[in-house]
Amino acid sequence: MSLGLGDALRTTGAVRSFTDRPVDDATVAAVLDTARFAPSGGNRQPWKVAVVKDPAIRQSMAELMRPVWHEYCGANAAGRNPFVLGQSIDAPPVEVPNALLDGISDVPVVLAIAVDLQRVAMMDGALGTRPPVVGGASIYPFCWSILLAACEHGLGGVLTTFLSRAEPGAVPLLGLPEHHALAATIFLGEPEHQATRLTRRP
């Protein structure tokens, strides 16, 4: 199903459940080939993508993400905003099932997105008054373009940063190069349900 730009922007929600239809390598390559036209500072295109197929690596990724998910759920249960400024809160983790992590072996496509920090202009990196954020402008448009490009092929997906909180454990798993940060993990596949309308604040 091919959507017009306006429809794609208004209906590309987070998809966390997929059919069992496989997604072939040519389709993944086509999605990434389109997404590479995303803007980045200085047109440096500082991204690297790992297409994770090995079931053992996928399971290890899920094991790294699961405690982060439980901590996230614990913060929500306590009525707190999780990980503000990257900090944990004084609330016990809550073990809530996560179908996406529990079934990671069956997700059609798992992508790990890294960014080369030596090719990003971190304009707010020396302020010292808050954590830097604007460097994300050189990587997250690419991530979002992956999700938009997937729509053209009848696919949906979700971007998560849970694994980034466990980056030290993910580095050897993914072969993350020196000076790279794990910006996102993206899951793609044919949606079990395709949203036709999203709810947002005015």
Side-chain angles (χ1 to χ4, degrees):
M1 176 179 63
S2 182
L3 299 174
L5 179 58
D7 288 335
L9 290 170
R10 286 175 174 267
T11 61
T12 304
V15 175
R16 296 181 176 87
S17 57
F18 308 102
T19 70
D20 58 3
R21 180 172 76 89
V23 178
D24 59 38
D25 290 346
T27 299
V28 175
V31 167
L32 295 175
D33 189 51
T34 297
R36 69 188 171 92
F37 287 92
S40 58
N43 195 27
R44 292 186 177 90
Q45 303 161 54
W47 44 75
K48 286 187 182 296
V49 181
V51 182
V52 184
K53 295 185 177 183
D54 188 309
I57 294 178
R58 287 188 177 200
Q59 286 297 332
S60 294
M61 292 169 66
E63 290 305 313
L64 288 169
M65 286 187 273
R66 196 167 281 113
V68 181
W69 166 246
H70 293 161
E71 188 178 356
Y72 180 90
C73 293
N76 281 333
R80 304 283 294 280
N81 193 10
F83 305 130
V84 171
L85 301 180
Q87 302 301 311
S88 298
I89 69 164
D90 187 19
V94 175
E95 295 191 8
V96 176
N98 185 310
L100 195 57
L101 298 184
D102 296 340
I104 195 170
S105 295
D106 298 322
V107 175
V109 181
V110 177
L111 305 175
I113 315 297
V115 56
D116 185 346
L117 296 176
Q118 292 194 320
R119 299 175 66 194
V120 171
M122 200 72 71
M123 296 297 188
D124 57 349
L127 292 180
T129 55
R130 59 165 176 80
V133 297
V134 302
S138 286
I139 185 63
Y140 291 112
F142 172 67
C143 295
W144 182 233
S145 289
I146 290 174
L147 293 171
L148 288 176
C151 293
E152 187 176 15
H153 299 272
L155 305 177
V158 64
L159 180 157
T160 175
T161 54
F162 283 107
L163 189 59
S164 299
R165 190 165 178 82
E167 183 181 276
V171 167
L173 273 180
L174 300 172
L176 207 67
E178 189 178 7
H179 305 304
H180 282 66
L182 184 61
T185 306
I186 295 178
F187 301 92
L188 296 175
E190 180 182 67
E192 284 191 345
H193 171 73
Q194 178 61 56
T196 57
R197 183 178 181 181
L198 301 178
T199 301
R200 295 290 188 270
R201 290 190 295 269

